[in-house]
Amino acid sequence: MTPLLLAMLLQAAPIPADSGERHLENIRQLTFGGQNAEAYFSRSGRQLIFQRQAADTGCDQEYVMNVDGTGMRRVSSGAGRTTCGYFFDHDRRLFYFSTEHLGPACPPRPDYSLGYVWALYDYDLYTADSAGGGTRRLTTNPGYDAEGTLSPDGRTIVFTSLRDGDLDIYTMRVDGTHLRRLTHTLGYDGGPFFSPDGKQIVYRAWHPQTAQDSADFVALLRQNLVRPTRMEIWIMDPDGRHQRQVTSLGGASFAPYFHPDGRRIIFASNYRNPRSRNFDLYLVNLDGTSLEQVTTSPDFDAFPMFSPDGRRLVWASNRHGRVAGETNIFIADWVEHP
């Protein structure tokens, strides 16, 4: 049996949920092999844009596929490294963040002798048509711009940037105008998403509490690095007012997304064992109450997003990998009341 035929058969067959995954039914694996993450629905709910590690360069590029896993195609240029793709303009266009302006080479991985760190690459925001053509560079900031998503009305991009010397959240119009900084506290504010009604933004954050923590954070920033091992979930108004912390779990809580009812947040966390890579998905009310575990797989589960109609959930997971550490995209029917 060829690998392609095997993948087609696996796509057609539902995967049983792990014990305790009461909200998930008809789980299907959409990608098979390698590193695949950050899959986000198109406005129509018919397609997903996601980042996938290219086999030839080992560098992330942006891909689009149908929600059944068919029709996969690359939509970024293939140069440099890309991240954080998203549909806009009623699915006629898409944007992503890329280092392609620095040349075709894949930028080097961070120095892990410093511990587990993320590299803050010199990404800029690019737009393209739905096939990946007509590329236009929208930002020219000499530093990190990434983690962008779109407002429900399609007019505003919210994203994370290092442009003012700290990792803060900004908004701008989809044409690059009306730039506005929303966060100002020293630390990592990132991964923002709008609520379904556009009246709130959820994000992840870590703000150093001691002089030593502040010094360590700034020292890493000067090397274009950040240590993402301590983060909590926050929300704020779309103008940056009323910033408030939702979770106080410890460990790293990230990848938040609003539940379709606008009253809850789904996110990933390793708070039960902050030294492990075993992240699970959780639901929590906006006031931090009623924490509920959604996934129970003993591996990595993260980057959740509900479909526009609220009936399905897509996320990235290490479950059912053919090799250790393999990350694939999964989709499931959402069961609101198990």
Side-chain angles (χ1 to χ4, degrees):
M1 183 180 296
T2 67
L4 178 59
L5 180 58
L6 177 61
M8 291 174 64
L9 291 173
L10 290 171
Q11 283 173 331
I15 299 169
D18 278 23
S19 176
E21 295 182 339
R22 304 177 304 134
H23 288 288
L24 306 178
E25 282 188 353
N26 298 321
I27 299 174
R28 284 177 166 80
Q29 185 172 341
L30 302 184
T31 62
F32 296 84
Q35 297 298 319
N36 307 268
E38 296 193 50
Y40 301 130
F41 281 99
S42 63
R43 184 168 181 170
S44 69
R46 297 173 183 170
Q47 293 183 301
L48 295 162
I49 186 169
F50 65 106
Q51 63 190 51
R52 177 180 177 88
Q53 197 173 89
D56 53 347
T57 66
C59 219
D60 290 336
Q61 294 292 321
E62 293 302 313
Y63 288 76
V64 166
M65 64 179 167
N66 299 323
V67 294
D68 62 0
T70 62
M72 185 188 300
R73 63 191 188 278
R74 194 184 74 203
V75 291
S76 56
S77 70
R81 183 186 296 273
T82 71
T83 189
C84 306
Y86 220 79
F87 289 93
F88 77 109
D89 190 23
H90 301 279
D91 298 342
R92 293 187 291 257
R93 296 186 63 77
L94 50 87
F95 64 76
Y96 57 87
F97 297 82
S98 177
T99 65
E100 63 183 76
H101 52 280
L102 302 178
C106 185
R109 296 187 180 278
D111 180 4
Y112 290 120
S113 68
L114 299 170
Y116 182 63
V117 291
W118 285 351
L120 301 173
Y121 296 113
D122 183 6
Y123 290 117
D124 271 318
L125 190 151
Y126 287 77
T127 66
D129 62 36
S130 59
T135 306
R136 177 189 172 200
R137 183 180 174 188
L138 201 61
T139 63
T140 56
N141 172 49
Y144 184 80
D145 288 309
E147 306 172 27
T149 60
L150 190 69
S151 62
D153 63 11
R155 298 177 180 177
T156 303
I157 296 172
V158 60
F159 66 106
T160 303
S161 179
L162 192 56
R163 63 184 58 219
D164 291 315
D166 190 15
L167 284 167
D168 283 302
I169 295 174
Y170 296 75
T171 55
M172 67 180 177
R173 298 282 177 81
V174 292
D175 62 2
T177 62
H178 293 84
L179 181 71
R180 183 173 189 175
R181 182 178 177 180
L182 303 186
T183 61
H184 296 81
T185 304
L186 180 68
Y188 189 176
D189 298 290
F193 277 92
F194 280 92
S195 61
D197 61 7
K199 294 181 179 180
Q200 295 183 94
I201 292 171
V202 65
Y203 60 105
R204 62 178 181 235
W206 176 74
H207 305 136
Q209 299 298 307
T210 68
Q212 185 60 55
D213 282 347
S214 297
D216 291 345
F217 177 77
V218 171
L220 284 175
L221 281 188
R222 289 173 179 162
Q223 301 175 69
N224 290 312
L225 298 170
V226 67
R227 198 181 311 281
T229 52
R230 290 180 287 175
M231 288 185 285
E232 300 290 351
I233 306 303
W234 288 61
I235 54 176
M236 63 180 165
D237 296 348
D239 59 4
R241 294 186 297 175
H242 303 122
Q243 295 174 16
R244 53 217 184 269
Q245 187 172 335
V246 176
T247 64
S248 298
L249 298 174
S253 295
F254 78 114
Y257 191 81
F258 273 94
H259 184 279
D261 64 15
R263 299 190 300 270
R264 288 173 287 170
I265 297 163
I266 190 168
F267 66 99
S269 182
N270 69 345
Y271 85 95
R272 293 183 184 275
N273 184 0
R275 293 184 178 272
S276 79
R277 186 176 162 77
N278 181 16
F279 285 81
D280 276 305
L281 302 183
Y282 295 85
L283 276 173
V284 69
N285 291 337
L286 298 188
D287 62 2
T289 62
S290 299
L291 183 71
E292 180 184 3
Q293 188 168 346
V294 175
T295 62
T296 59
S297 170
D299 292 301
F300 178 84
D301 290 284
F303 303 112
M305 183 186 189
F306 286 99
S307 60
D309 62 8
R311 296 179 179 179
R312 288 176 290 183
L313 184 78
V314 68
W315 79 102
S317 179
N318 290 159
R319 65 182 66 199
H320 303 293
R322 288 176 286 189
V323 297
E326 179 180 300
T327 307
N328 285 296
I329 306 301
F330 292 79
I331 194 169
D333 294 338
W334 179 258
V335 181
E336 182 58 44
H337 300 291

